[in-house]
Amino acid sequence: MDFLIKFAQAHQSFRLAEIQALAVVEGVDLTVVEYSHESPFCLVRLPSVEEAQRLIRRSILAQSIQELWGTGNTLERLHQSVEERSRYLWPRYKDASFKFEIDSFQGANSGSRRLSIINSFHYLPFEGPIRLNTPDNVFTVFELWPWNSVPLGVKDPDMFHLGRFVAASSRDVVLKFDLKKREYISTTSMDSELSLITANIALAAPGKLFYDPFVGTGSFPVACAHFGAVGWGSDIDGRSMRGDGDRKSLRGNFQQYDLSSCLGDVFSADLTNTPIRRGKGIWDGIVCDPPYGVREGLRVLGVRDPEKTPWLIKQGFTNGLLPDFVPPKKPYSFLAMLRDILTFAAETLVDDGRLSFWMPTANDQDQEIPVPTHPCLEIVVICVQVFNKCKWPLPALLLATAHSPQLLLLNRFASSH
């Protein structure tokens, strides 16, 4: 059966990756028939309506999925397609209540034109009542108009689709986890929508263990916990996790969303000094946003020159267990971090486990950062969040380029390394 997915107008390069990941999570046989970043519509083929409902139920970027009844580049061809493709379905909905809607993308119709389009489907043998509120079935005519069609005075859309509503997504969850409503955040807390999308793409699900080595205030473990996974995390600065020790803390965030049962634990450590045992698969997924850029520099535990500051090392032995102790740190190369996190993932992920992390596409000198690779990991997808040039509040209003961050997803080979 063919279905039409209607996406929200956000994060276009993440859409297909999320839907394909959800097909893996739900065990759905998905075939993508047609999709373009320029369109909010994706034509897919699925075995049944029930599997379409399962596919879409936890999606963040999709809005709904429709049973496709017809498609055409003109209204006349749409009607021909409806008769050819969906005639066998008509008897099922003969006596049910229904209503028709028009959904126009990049265009608009007058009220009389919309009514005319709806009335043009008079040949459908529906004898049930028309109900505008809570009908049994909702049929939507989707119109795809050319870009800037309204000011250009374009009269007709480029494409029409007719779909019967099957199921809505979980896009409203974004508002529930909105950072503006969260009790404890920092300047580097990951946006709630992108956290949920990252968790979906990484295949977070009940019975799985997910880990964030740069956990901060817990945005990623919270998102993974929402989908049923048990979240774990560590951070080089324990203060970011502890907060005030009550509601305004990482644990407090889990309590705010009633997800405490899905919090494994958090601890102070960095990627090069971790108590996690290597060489055995532990994590089903690793999700993180390593520190980079102007807000937070990358650091690792240690001192620049131990011979010049032996007192710092001694202080660590005597005060290391005190709750207010802040360990010394030294600069850590971003490229070294990329190498270390791939090695860590290869040594601690289960077979077919996923590493999903954010990284910039270029450094401060506009030099492109190559996509890191590892012999035990394969790249599944690279999603880029595009930024445009913007003015930073710097002296003389210097014009700077915000280097587009990208979400990199790697899958561990299902074999020993």
Side-chain angles (χ1 to χ4, degrees), residues 250-412:
L250 185 149
R251 292 183 182 276
N253 286 339
F254 275 80
Q255 294 170 6
Q256 178 180 349
Y257 301 116
D258 295 324
L259 294 173
S260 296
S261 61
C262 289
L263 173 61
D265 206 348
V266 293
F267 53 92
S268 296
D270 65 33
L271 207 56
T272 62
N273 297 275
T274 176
I276 296 174
R277 181 180 297 177
R278 307 282 190 110
K280 184 176 181 180
I282 301 173
W283 311 117
D284 295 284
I286 298 173
V287 290
C288 60
D289 180 26
Y292 59 84
V294 297
R295 287 188 179 181
E296 187 174 354
L298 197 56
R299 296 288 187 272
V300 68
L301 293 175
V303 294
R304 291 176 182 266
D305 191 342
E307 295 182 358
K308 290 184 178 180
T309 55
W311 58 274
L312 281 176
I313 299 176
K314 183 178 179 181
Q315 187 182 64
F317 283 108
T318 57
N319 302 331
L321 295 179
L322 297 178
D324 59 348
F325 175 71
V326 179
K329 306 175 184 67
K330 62 182 179 180
Y332 187 30
S333 164
F334 184 77
L335 295 180
M337 185 279 298
L338 292 181
R339 180 192 64 244
D340 290 343
I341 195 169
L342 263 63
T343 301
F344 175 82
E347 294 177 349
T348 60
L349 282 174
V350 300
D351 289 344
D352 291 326
R354 290 191 168 185
L355 164 65
S356 184
F357 69 97
W358 288 80
M359 61 172 285
T361 57
N363 60 19
D364 295 336
Q365 288 77 41
D366 272 339
Q367 297 172 329
E368 183 177 355
I369 299 177
V371 174
T373 59
H374 190 280
C376 294
L377 302 172
E378 62 178 348
I379 296 176
V380 178
V381 67
I382 299 174
C383 303
V384 180
Q385 182 187 17
V386 179
F387 285 165
N388 294 321
K389 287 187 176 181
C390 59
K391 288 186 176 181
W392 293 85
L394 299 175
L397 290 177
L398 297 176
L399 190 64
T401 301
H403 303 300
S404 304
Q406 57 188 351
L407 174 66
L408 184 65
L409 178 65
L410 300 101
N411 193 77
R412 189 187 185 283

